Amino acid sequence: MNQQLIISIGREFGSGGHEVAEILAARYGMPLYDNNLLHEIATHKNVNVKNLTKYDERPRNMLFSRSVHGYSNSPEENLAKIQFDYLRRKADDGESFVIVGRCAEEILAEYGCMVSVFILGDLPKKLERVSKKYGVTPAEARGMLLLNDKKRKVYHNYYCKGKWGDSRNYELSINSSRIGVEKTAELIAAYISEKYGRNV
Amino acid sequence: MAAQILAVIIFVMMFLLIISEKIERHIVTLLCGLVTLVLVFGLCMHSGRAVLDTLNLRGIFKLNFWYAPGSSEEASVGINWATIIFIAGMMVMVEGMARAGFFRWLCITIAKAVRYKTIPIFITFMLMSAVLAMFIDSITVILFLAAVTVELGQMLRFDPRPMILSEIFCANLGGSATMCGDPPNIIVGTSLGYSFADFITHTGVIAGLSLIFVVVYFFLCFRKKLSVSDGAAADPASFPTPASAIKDRRSFAVSTGIFLIAIALLVTHAMTGLTVAFIGLFIAAITLAAAGRGALKLLKLVDYKTLLFFIGLFVVVGGLEQTGILETVADLIGRICGGNMYLMVAIIVWVSGFASAFVDNIPFAATMIPIIRSLASAPGINLDVLAWSLSMGTDVGGSATPIGASANVVGTSVAAREGHPIGWGQYCKYMFPATLIVMLISMLFIWFQYV
């Protein structure tokens, strides 16, 4: 790969967005960052990652938070900012990577080398995937789906101007249920080739 | 009646908007202040005098605003310009000190003096936090202290969170000791005409006594956590030196000198007759003069938003005052207490403390001042006692929760940004009991000493 490439994947819970990200990371030989970003940050700052994971991808609690001169007592907000800064630093250093979630489509919007994608899915397919992956009943899967999507939406919309899942914020919005995870990844790769040529 | 209802609605709206953080707080108070001037004073009261009294601009042009020999400065209503000018002056001085590397130098000097041993650093940093916060705003104190604590934690392999929590508490406690330590005290002092000496000999004694208990309390809470890796894993070559903190020797010497002058002027202001407004202006002027070409840059660093926040806030509280709402509240408290000073002190300490644990203590203190002034107009009620109760309640109560005081927010944020998040549970587990201890000490001290 000759030029820097960043692929940002936003996703609905159960849409297979993470699998799409894995396929793309393998295809381009790039690191994939999701919650493993926290492990890297924890190693870098010499702290226990367990202290951080419970605050990951969570919105700030409005009732129990306060800001003073740009400082916030919210661990969730501080952790989100650490991750955003870390991603920006990686992008500044010229690193190519695939990033799942973490508001990357907006945080890294200024980098021309970024392709932003949102993966969505049909409810029955998402329920089927979640039931199979986590070994839960469809009813439990529905609960997990609603909870996780709500969490992601609130988290995203707190830190970003653009709304989570709104197609206007992403270069591509693809329903993975219609063509499957593999074909979705291929479609994104085709778009990347079209956008940047054969150099990537 | 319409004016009273409107003044209350504006006040409640202001509080809700500040808490929601949807709009910057200085814009909230300024807009609410403007609405108070137009709707409450203009439309409902048709009172130009209320507007003039609340804007309180005439006072600035009087000699006793700047120089009041033989007595404390005149008690004021409406916008408390003395508070605003003093805080602005101290902001300029603190920016100068921070740029010169004073705070980092002090932290590293103390850490070096105790040979970079964790427990001695823990104790000395608590004391330093309290002493610095007596003269400098607690946000600045914690900003530097927490950053150095995290750095030392990485080198000496200790969890910096217990130390940062203790420093936050001591900064808030230290701020309660003096007239210039915490914004509520500046407001209480300038509004009711108290001097630096008045505070240090009353709230200062309570804070000093409380500090002994607090240091012992935090030592007992955290000694095991902090003594686990008492400097064992650290490489002495990696320790920072005090000299490395100084960015420019000349600026460092000048800013240290100005800081000492500020302390001297504050300590002696009741004797010299120089008011805190004069001291603030003078300190800002010599800091800017010493900065030379950097003066403009220094001025740009001043937190104008906080000053504007104060101006708007005083106008909104002026609306409550002019419409007689605060007198009604004072009457209610007076009736509940039935002239019992013990009960009145207890109510002021605990209500102030509880409120300050959840909402900004600055608007609370500003609102309470006319109330205690009104309460003290009754025979047998001593204003001084109520003022010390209010100061201790608002200053100390803010320590109880992560959102109670600015230092808490800044300290926990600095820790979290370095990978050491502090949630509500962990914060309150240690800080809430400490707050209760100090508030109890404050109430008992005031009861036995003054009532």
Side-chain angles (χ1 to χ4, degrees), chain A residues 8-188:
Chain A
S8 141
I9 307 276
R11 76 291 184 210
E12 285 183 343
F13 189 73
S15 67
H18 200 274
E19 277 180 61
V20 172
E22 282 172 354
I23 294 167
L24 289 168
R27 180 185 181 117
Y28 292 104
M30 305 193 298
L32 166 65
Y33 296 122
D34 49 14
N35 54 14
N36 64 357
L37 194 65
L38 285 187
H39 288 267
E40 203 173 309
I41 291 169
T43 308
H44 179 71
K45 291 189 178 288
N46 197 18
V47 296
N48 190 340
V49 73
K50 281 183 188 167
N51 289 337
L52 309 179
T53 45
K54 63 178 171 180
Y55 302 114
D56 188 29
E57 276 209 300
R58 284 175 179 274
R60 157 191 166 129
N61 186 321
M62 297 303 285
L63 201 61
F64 294 107
S65 304
R66 190 181 147 197
S67 299
V68 174
H69 306 318
Y71 293 91
S72 165
N73 72 295
S74 162
E76 295 87 355
E77 187 170 1
N78 284 304
L79 186 60
K81 284 184 178 166
I82 291 176
Q83 295 191 73
F84 299 160
D85 289 343
Y86 207 73
L87 286 173
R88 282 194 197 100
R89 213 158 33 233
K90 280 186 176 296
D92 284 337
D93 290 345
E95 190 181 320
S96 293
F97 56 89
V98 179
I99 172 74
V100 178
R102 280 134 193 97
C103 306
E105 91 284 352
E106 190 161 314
I107 299 301
L108 303 176
E110 66 195 87
Y111 297 91
C113 58
M114 186 187 69
V115 172
S116 61
V117 185
F118 189 80
I119 311 289
L120 59 148
D122 294 333
L123 186 63
K125 285 277 186 190
K126 288 194 290 183
L127 289 176
E128 188 186 317
R129 177 186 292 278
V130 172
S131 299
K132 198 173 160 188
K133 189 174 178 181
Y134 297 99
V136 294
T137 64
E140 287 169 332
R142 183 183 284 269
M144 284 173 72
L145 210 130
L146 288 173
L147 185 75
N148 281 289
D149 276 351
K150 188 181 176 190
K151 213 171 74 180
R152 284 175 186 173
K153 185 179 173 180
V154 176
Y155 165 82
H156 180 281
N157 293 353
Y158 177 74
Y159 298 108
C160 301
K161 283 182 185 149
K163 300 293 175 205
W164 181 75
D166 184 334
S167 61
R168 287 169 294 190
N169 301 323
Y170 308 88
E171 288 175 53
L172 299 172
S173 285
I174 307 172
N175 186 332
S176 65
S177 304
R178 307 295 167 90
I179 55 171
V181 166
E182 294 278 346
K183 293 282 181 195
T184 301
E186 276 179 34
L187 188 64
I188 296 167

Side-chain angles (χ1 to χ4, degrees), chain B residues 6-198:
Chain B
L6 206 55
V8 172
I9 290 171
I10 293 167
F11 181 75
V12 172
M13 279 294 294
M14 179 189 78
F15 246 110
L16 293 177
L17 285 169
I18 289 173
I19 292 166
S20 76
E21 295 186 3
K22 294 279 181 201
I23 308 169
E24 286 197 75
R25 64 177 193 161
H26 68 286
I27 297 172
V28 171
T29 62
L30 285 176
L31 281 176
C32 290
L34 187 65
V35 174
T36 302
L37 291 176
V38 175
L39 296 185
V40 178
F41 297 154
L43 208 66
C44 297
M45 292 171 68
H46 305 291
S47 172
R49 188 182 170 81
V51 174
L52 289 176
D53 283 349
T54 304
L55 293 177
N56 199 19
L57 282 164
R58 280 173 296 187
I60 300 175
F61 302 103
K62 290 180 182 170
L63 180 65
N64 66 356
F65 182 83
W66 305 101
Y67 178 63
S71 67
S72 303
E73 53 252 61
E74 193 179 298
S76 66
V77 292
I79 298 177
N80 190 329
W81 292 106
T83 294
I84 291 160
I85 292 169
F86 176 72
I87 289 176
M90 294 306 270
M91 279 176 180
V92 173
M93 180 191 78
V94 167
E95 284 300 338
M97 291 168 77
R99 275 161 58 96
F102 175 84
F103 297 107
R104 189 172 154 76
W105 169 84
L106 189 61
C107 294
I108 296 172
T109 300
I110 288 178
K112 191 182 175 190
V114 296
R115 299 178 183 193
Y116 296 98
K117 294 287 177 193
T118 310
I119 294 293
I121 289 174
F122 171 61
I123 305 284
T124 50
F125 273 32
M126 272 196 279
L127 299 176
M128 177 169 59
S129 180
V131 172
L132 276 178
M134 287 168 68
F135 303 99
I136 291 166
D137 72 288
S138 54
I139 298 176
T140 307
V141 172
I142 286 302
L143 201 55
F144 285 91
L145 217 49
V148 173
T149 302
V150 169
E151 195 183 333
L152 289 173
Q154 277 173 350
M155 288 189 309
L156 303 175
R157 308 275 160 83
F158 66 81
D159 182 351
R161 287 176 292 186
M163 219 182 267
I164 290 174
L165 287 177
S166 316
E167 290 159 4
I168 290 170
F169 194 92
C170 290
N172 290 331
L173 185 59
S176 71
T178 64
M179 181 171 167
C180 56
D182 209 15
N185 285 17
I186 304 170
I187 299 170
V188 169
T190 50
S191 300
L192 302 176
Y194 293 119
S195 68
F196 186 91
D198 291 330

Side-chain angles (χ1 to χ4, degrees), chain B residues 294-344:
Chain B
L296 197 63
K297 205 172 177 183
L298 210 57
L299 270 179
K300 283 181 182 168
L301 288 170
V302 168
D303 180 16
Y304 294 104
K305 290 179 180 177
T306 295
L307 302 177
L308 294 171
F309 163 77
F310 273 107
I311 292 172
L313 170 71
F314 286 129
V315 176
V316 176
V317 174
L320 294 177
E321 199 175 359
Q322 296 283 351
T323 54
I325 285 287
L326 297 180
E327 263 182 58
T328 312
V329 176
D331 283 345
L332 183 71
I333 296 173
R335 273 205 300 275
I336 292 169
C337 297
N340 183 335
M341 271 302 279
Y342 288 102
L343 187 57
M344 208 173 273

